């Protein structure tokens, strides 16, 4: 195809990606590549397929007639079901690798070695291959083979689980599904794209890597760096005793919460006081200066609590927005399907030939069209098609099916 037309089908149209990974972070990086037009082949075991398909059936997850987890992570992809414990399936994968641009895996190093999926094995088959591996705790050291999920390797190990507690007396805060995996996916995507750029300059592929632990510490890095610099930390205080009343959250009449973020408080405090109908606070000796307000933050928070409790969130939004004050709504999931700002900015986009919305990857590039999200594949839905593309005839495909190497 003429290069001038590639933008019509996405920046990565013509890029072949093998997604030989499971669960969220690594496959989600492949999803972002697919959003920009890459042909992503999802390699999964025959039968039940990727174990991530079963996530919504686990205790505590929302119930739906749709496999929402798979819809999000596997959109746009084609499925090839291979039993990689069989030599025939490994030979198929090697044939695919010889013509691929990117190979993505999150198998631990020991499993990669057992299945013949190491960079040392696959790299020589294709000198332009970008081999991208994702792990829980990195490629080296005694924990290299340790299984990791974002709840433990990202959220807990990094200190985030401890740091976001309301105060020092409460238990560490639990994570929610995928909250670390999806930021990790963007970092992993960045590594892959950086390697593709290097390949444009050198003509050679390479091995790129990322892991949950490193991304978790990066997310906590402001305070982690403070610790590395020997900083002295102050007591973690509950919301009612926060050190700054104008950078705090407040409960509205309807039970919703609003988060104030007034960094220029010398200018904005009088505006806020008038918005709250409490002009008296402006000249209150306890709150006249910034230093006064911080010294008496507990008292000022109590004043704000009483006022915010008198109106519902929708009214406070109009009042605060109308006066140019910086604040945020503490969102709930019920808000998302009808959030106009998200829809207008294509944070939420419909699936192809459907009205169901899905969550877009969070980057946009001028002049580059994303593909319309396509529903995810069934297990092995495209196996025959993909095998034909790499040269297997019908008799060979049937033989592979009979031996259970492919499904």
């Amino acid at each position: 195809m003429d290069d001038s037309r590639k933008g019509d089908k996405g920046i990565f149209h013509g890029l072949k990606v093998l997604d030989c990974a499971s669960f969220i972070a690594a496959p989600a990086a492949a999803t972002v590549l697919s959003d920009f037009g890459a042909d992503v082949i999802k390699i999964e075991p025959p039968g039940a397929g990727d174990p991530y398909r079963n996530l919504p059936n686990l205790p505590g997850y929302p119930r739906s007639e749709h496999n929402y987890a798979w819809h999000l992570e596997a959109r746009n992809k084609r499925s090839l079901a291979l039993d990689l414990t069989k030599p025939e399936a490994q030979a198929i994968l090697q044939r695919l690798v010889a013509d691929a641009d990117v190979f993505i895996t999150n198998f631990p190093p020991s499993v990669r070695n057992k299945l013949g999926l190491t960079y040392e094995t696959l790299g020589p088959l294709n000198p332009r291959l970008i081999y991208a591996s994702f792990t829980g705790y990195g490629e080296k050291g005694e924990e290299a083979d340790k299984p990791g999920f974002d709840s433990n390797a990202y959220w807990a190990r990094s200190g985030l689980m401890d740091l976001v507690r309301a105060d020092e007396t409460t238990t560490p805060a639990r994570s929610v599904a995928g909250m670390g995996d999806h930021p990790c996916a963007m970092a992993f995507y960045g590594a892959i794209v950086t390697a593709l750029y290097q390949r444009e300059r050198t003509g050679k592929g390479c091995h790129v890597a990322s892991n949950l632990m490193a991304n978790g510490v990066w997310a906590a890095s402001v305070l982690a760096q403070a610790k590395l610099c020997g900083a002295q930390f102050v007591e973690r205080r509950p919301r009612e005793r926060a050190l700054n009343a104008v950078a705090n959250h407040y409960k509205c009449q309807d039970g919703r919460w609003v988060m104030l973020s007034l960094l220029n408080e010398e200018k904005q405090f009088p505006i806020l006081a008038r918005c709250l109908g409490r002009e008296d606070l402006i000249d209150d000796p306890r709150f006249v200066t910034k230093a006064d307000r911080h010294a008496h933050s507990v008292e000022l928070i109590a004043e704000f609590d009483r006022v915010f409790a008198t109106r519902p969130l929708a009214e406070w939004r109009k009042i605060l927005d109308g006066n140019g004050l910086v604040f945020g709504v503490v969102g709930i999931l019920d808000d998302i399907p009808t959030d106009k700002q998200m829809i207008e900015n294509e944070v939420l986009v419909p699936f192809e030939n459907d009205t169901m919305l899905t969550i877009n990857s969070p980057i946009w590039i001028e002049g580059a069209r994303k593909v319309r999200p396509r529903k995810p594949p069934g297990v092995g839905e495209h196996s025959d098609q993909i095998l034909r593309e790499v040269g297997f005839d019908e008799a060979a495909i049937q033989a592979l099916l009979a031996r259970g190497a492919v499904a």
Side-chain angles (χ1 to χ4, degrees):
M1 176 178 288
D2 182 350
D3 285 350
S4 65
R5 294 187 56 200
K6 286 187 177 179
D8 295 339
K9 296 185 178 181
I11 290 174
F12 294 134
H13 177 65
L15 196 77
K16 186 174 179 179
V17 178
L18 304 180
D19 172 4
C20 190
S22 182
F23 274 76
I24 303 179
T31 301
V32 182
L33 291 166
S34 81
D35 287 340
F36 286 100
D39 175 19
V40 178
I41 297 173
K42 176 69 182 179
I43 298 169
E44 53 185 328
D50 185 338
Y52 185 62
R53 289 177 179 268
N54 192 52
L55 184 79
N57 297 322
L58 297 178
Y61 281 87
R63 297 302 180 197
S64 171
E65 62 178 306
H66 303 287
N67 191 336
Y68 49 85
W70 194 244
H71 274 53
L72 179 62
E73 315 301 351
R75 64 172 179 245
N76 309 328
K77 300 177 183 180
R78 297 191 291 163
S79 174
L80 169 62
L82 292 180
D83 182 351
L84 291 173
T85 65
K86 297 182 181 298
E88 301 96 328
Q90 294 176 18
I92 293 169
L93 180 63
Q94 290 176 7
R95 190 182 295 197
L96 287 165
V97 164
D99 190 40
D101 295 285
V102 181
F103 176 83
I104 293 175
T105 185
N106 65 347
F107 291 147
S110 62
V111 176
R112 284 179 242 157
N113 187 62
K114 179 180 178 181
L115 298 178
L117 301 179
T118 63
Y119 180 58
E120 290 72 22
T121 300
L122 300 182
L125 302 176
N126 180 352
R128 288 177 56 81
L129 181 71
I130 306 302
Y131 180 101
S133 60
F134 194 88
T135 57
Y137 300 93
E139 304 276 335
K140 304 174 184 177
E142 63 183 9
E143 296 180 80
D145 285 319
K146 183 178 178 180
F149 294 94
D150 70 346
S151 59
N152 48 47
Y154 175 97
W155 184 243
R157 181 64 169 269
S158 66
L160 287 167
M161 188 173 185
D162 175 66
L163 288 167
V164 302
R165 291 191 291 173
D167 63 73
E168 294 174 349
T169 66
T170 58
T171 60
R174 291 182 298 175
S175 62
V176 299
M179 65 179 287
D181 280 310
H182 287 101
C184 288
M186 298 311 300
F188 198 35
Y189 167 80
I192 293 167
V193 172
T194 302
L196 287 169
Y197 178 70
Q198 176 178 265
R199 191 180 75 173
E200 287 297 304
R201 303 183 73 177
T202 67
K204 297 179 180 179
C206 65
H207 181 184
V208 303
S210 189
N211 63 77
L212 289 165
M213 179 179 66
N215 279 276
V217 177
W218 180 253
S221 59
V222 171
L223 294 183
Q225 186 65 54
K227 177 60 69 173
L228 293 173
C229 291
Q232 297 298 309
F233 284 71
V234 299
E235 172 199 7
R236 178 172 301 282
R237 298 160 66 106
R239 185 199 70 86
E240 295 78 10
R241 295 197 300 115
L243 296 171
N244 189 348
V246 299
N248 202 10
H249 48 293
Y250 297 93
K251 191 175 184 179
C252 304
Q253 187 183 56
D254 55 358
R256 298 295 302 273
W257 290 79
V258 62
M259 177 72 196
L260 296 180
S261 302
L262 307 187
L263 299 185
N264 187 6
E265 64 176 276
E266 293 288 24
K267 176 183 178 181
Q268 295 176 315
F269 178 73
I271 300 172
L272 176 62
R274 294 187 185 99
C275 286
L276 301 182
R278 291 296 306 274
E279 291 87 347
D280 59 297
L281 296 177
I282 299 172
D283 297 317
D284 188 311
R286 297 172 297 172
F287 313 130
V288 173
T289 68
K290 182 177 180 178
D292 292 331
R293 289 189 290 276
H294 290 189
H296 297 278
S297 63
V298 173
E299 296 155 79
L300 187 54
I301 290 168
E303 297 285 359
F304 286 174
D305 275 340
R306 285 189 282 272
V307 178
F308 275 104
T310 63
R311 294 177 183 268
L313 174 62
E315 291 187 24
W316 285 123
R317 291 186 76 168
K318 290 180 181 178
I319 292 169
L320 298 174
D321 270 331
N323 287 273
L325 294 175
V326 182
F327 72 99
V329 172
V330 179
I332 58 175
L333 292 177
D334 285 344
D335 296 337
I336 292 176
T338 56
D339 190 311
K340 290 178 61 177
Q341 192 69 12
M342 291 188 184
I343 293 170
E344 289 176 6
N345 285 277
E346 297 185 334
V347 175
L348 307 176
V349 291
F351 279 105
E352 186 177 53
N353 302 320
D354 203 338
T355 58
M356 182 189 293
L357 296 172
T358 189
I359 300 161
N360 207 348
S361 48
I363 51 175
W364 291 264
I365 299 172
E366 184 177 0
R369 187 182 72 87
K370 288 185 179 180
V371 303
R372 187 76 176 269
R374 298 184 301 276
K375 291 289 183 66
V379 179
E381 180 178 336
H382 304 96
S383 292
D384 287 9
Q385 179 188 72
I386 294 166
L387 290 173
R388 290 189 187 98
E389 289 173 359
V390 292
F392 288 91
D393 60 22
E394 191 61 32
I397 293 172
Q398 291 304 314
L400 289 165
L401 288 169
R403 290 195 292 270
V406 179

